[in-house]
Amino acid sequence: MVLDDDETGPAPAALMGLNMLVETRGGYNYTHAEYRTWLEEAGFTDIGSTPLAAAGANAAIIARKRPYTS
């Protein structure tokens, strides 16, 4: 479940975030921007997301990693 960048929705992701805080130590749902930042720092490009209408998932984060060349 991926949160919008303002962390207010979509509702299922926000509710899952609340559940994570209640059920786990330091549990948290992350935003599109947080995933983008981490992927960029790891050298990924062409970062985007595809919306999903699935139980327990609202998006697939997709990125490309260029092959290592020396």
Side-chain angles (χ1 to χ4, degrees), residues 16-30:
M16 178 56 83
L18 179 61
N19 182 62
M20 293 291 290
L21 287 171
V22 170
E23 298 290 332
T24 66
R25 290 182 187 210
Y28 184 76
N29 271 16
Y30 301 102

Side-chain angles (χ1 to χ4, degrees), residues 3-70:
L3 286 167
D4 293 335
D5 290 341
D6 64 3
E7 298 183 350
T8 62
L15 290 171
M16 178 56 83
L18 179 61
N19 182 62
M20 293 291 290
L21 287 171
V22 170
E23 298 290 332
T24 66
R25 290 182 187 210
Y28 184 76
N29 271 16
Y30 301 102
T31 66
H32 289 276
E34 289 170 311
Y35 284 113
R36 175 177 292 282
T37 298
W38 297 328
L39 288 166
E40 286 172 346
E41 288 173 356
F44 285 83
T45 61
D46 303 327
I47 302 164
S49 65
T50 299
L52 299 176
N58 67 340
I61 307 295
I62 300 168
R64 179 174 302 198
K65 179 87 176 204
R66 300 282 184 225
Y68 176 78
T69 58
S70 56

